[in-house]
Amino acid sequence: MRCKDKLNALAISVMNQWAGVKLRVTEGWDEDGHHAEESLHYEGRAVDITTSDRDRSKYGLLARLAVEAGFDWVVFDSKAHIHCSVKAENSVAAKSGGCFPALATVSLEGGGTKSVEDLEPGDRVLTADGRGRLVYSNFLMFIDRQESVKKVFYVIETSQPRASIRLTAAHLLFVAQTQGNGNRSMKSVFASDVQPGDLVYVANQKQGIGSLEEVEVSNVHLEEDFGAYAPMTDEGTLVVDGVLASCYAVIEEHSWAHMAFAPLRFGLDLYSFIYPINSTPTSPVHIQEEGIHWYSQILYKLGTLLLDKDSIHPLGMAKQSS
């Protein structure tokens, strides 16, 4: 899965670099025993690539684009192709969170919007409560915050009404699930599992705070964007670019993740009570370093020990997939 994500990013870069030229994979997963016994091709962690026009004068720049796309090793195995490979999933699992791009927007109480990268303690943002009602909730901190990173995001679009949300593969989004009695309920799924035809929840704010509306997904595709931010709210949800999403990632069940983060939310709320906003220049958010928050990393390690592997996104497991 990680190798595939890097290939997707590289494919976009190739198309942007050379008009009409596409990325060409000449060798991926090896089932025929053509490589050495220790080859990463047997683990789905290596690919051999060229450009679609097989113009060898492009291969130098292609190698550089592969490095920028995030491959851990890029080498010229021969003049015929470039060999690219990635580290094992378990060596990067703690870094595989779920995020929105920097310029994704949220709605503020009192009107207006704000980019997720600009969120600060004291901001009250549009969320949904446990009953699916739109409410304003406190922004607490970033579960993940990376200012200058470039990532591949799943772009999930609806047509009527038109909405579009960008989020990484392992981030949770809510879709409508039909129950046995014919009623529908919210189900959390990974962004990478959302398909056209699924029903997501879009905020209809024509009157007052508004309500959530089930809207059909019309298109899902991949795009590169800058920044990676995972805001956490008291409710554990967030309306981003008009679409309701979870604050959590990697663990498929939203309610489990929300319960697991309860001690941290309590601690942050207590901190805000003792030190009201603007009474101290060093809030928990302002002193938070870039990257995934330490609490989230601890929960991930516990999750891999206690939860079924099917409940954890492949980006957060040591699964070997091409």
Side-chain angles (χ1 to χ4, degrees):
M1 177 63 76
R2 183 165 181 262
C3 187
K4 182 179 178 181
D5 283 347
K6 304 308 178 187
L7 275 177
N8 288 333
L10 179 56
I12 293 171
S13 297
V14 168
M15 289 188 291
N16 290 338
Q17 184 67 40
W18 299 293
V21 176
K22 297 181 179 180
L23 179 66
R24 175 173 175 262
V25 178
T26 61
E27 185 80 59
W29 182 281
D30 185 2
E31 296 179 346
D32 301 322
H34 292 158
H35 293 81
E37 186 175 334
E38 69 277 6
S39 173
L40 297 182
H41 283 282
Y42 299 121
E43 301 180 11
R45 291 165 49 200
V47 290
D48 297 331
I49 60 172
T50 70
T51 55
S52 59
D53 59 3
R54 306 189 190 187
D55 181 355
R56 295 183 181 180
S57 68
K58 293 185 173 73
Y59 291 2
L61 181 52
L62 177 62
R64 194 179 83 182
L65 293 176
V67 173
E68 293 176 352
F71 281 97
D72 298 305
W73 295 282
V74 178
V75 296
F76 280 96
D77 265 5
S78 72
K79 294 181 179 179
H81 65 258
I82 297 167
H83 175 88
C84 304
S85 56
V86 296
K87 296 178 181 179
E89 298 286 1
N90 57 346
S91 67
V92 294
K95 299 178 182 178
S96 301
C99 305
F100 308 102
L103 297 182
T105 60
V106 297
S107 298
L108 300 175
E109 186 174 32
T113 61
K114 198 171 196 179
S115 299
V116 294
E117 66 175 342
D118 295 327
L119 285 171
E120 298 175 329
D123 287 338
R124 288 181 57 78
V125 295
L126 188 64
T127 66
D129 63 15
R131 297 182 180 181
R133 301 173 301 185
L134 289 177
V135 295
Y136 288 103
S137 178
N138 293 321
F139 162 69
L140 300 175
M141 56 162 275
F142 290 109
I143 297 175
D144 192 357
R145 181 172 64 89
Q146 301 176 59
E147 296 180 1
S148 56
V149 72
K150 190 176 186 181
K151 285 197 173 189
V152 174
F153 293 87
Y154 278 77
V155 184
I156 297 169
E157 300 177 333
T158 66
S159 54
Q160 297 295 333
R162 188 171 182 81
S164 176
I165 184 172
R166 289 167 168 77
L167 60 176
T168 49
H171 205 102
L172 293 179
L173 192 67
F174 296 103
V175 300
Q177 176 181 243
T178 302
Q179 298 176 319
N181 58 9
N183 294 328
R184 283 202 284 261
S185 61
M186 287 186 182
K187 178 185 178 183
S188 56
V189 298
F190 297 123
S192 58
D193 291 335
V194 177
Q195 302 290 330
D198 287 343
L199 298 176
V200 296
Y201 293 89
V202 173
N204 184 341
Q205 292 183 273
K206 293 182 179 179
Q207 294 182 348
I209 195 172
S211 60
L212 290 172
E213 179 180 349
E214 295 177 0
V215 180
E216 185 173 333
V217 174
S218 59
N219 184 39
V220 178
H221 63 278
L222 297 171
E223 285 185 7
E224 284 187 308
D225 210 334
F226 291 94
Y229 293 82
M232 186 173 73
T233 66
D234 270 326
E235 292 291 342
T237 60
L238 190 64
V239 174
V240 178
D241 292 328
V243 181
L244 179 66
S246 171
C247 291
Y248 310 116
V250 180
I251 305 300
E252 188 172 22
E253 180 52 59
H254 165 81
S255 60
W256 296 350
H258 192 53
M259 287 188 292
F261 274 91
L264 180 59
R265 292 196 306 276
F266 174 79
L268 291 171
D269 285 335
L270 181 62
Y271 184 96
S272 297
F273 177 78
I274 298 174
Y275 300 104
I277 301 300
N278 297 328
S279 69
T280 174
T282 55
S283 71
V285 172
H286 292 150
I287 62 176
Q288 181 184 338
E289 296 182 356
E290 281 202 37
I292 296 180
H293 193 273
W294 60 266
Y295 187 88
S296 183
Q297 295 187 47
I298 291 174
L299 288 182
Y300 165 77
K301 291 178 181 178
L302 290 175
T304 58
L305 295 173
L306 302 176
L307 298 178
D308 186 278
K309 290 183 178 181
D310 291 337
S311 300
I312 302 178
H313 193 276
L315 284 178
M317 291 296 297
K319 290 184 177 180
Q320 296 172 339
S321 169
S322 60

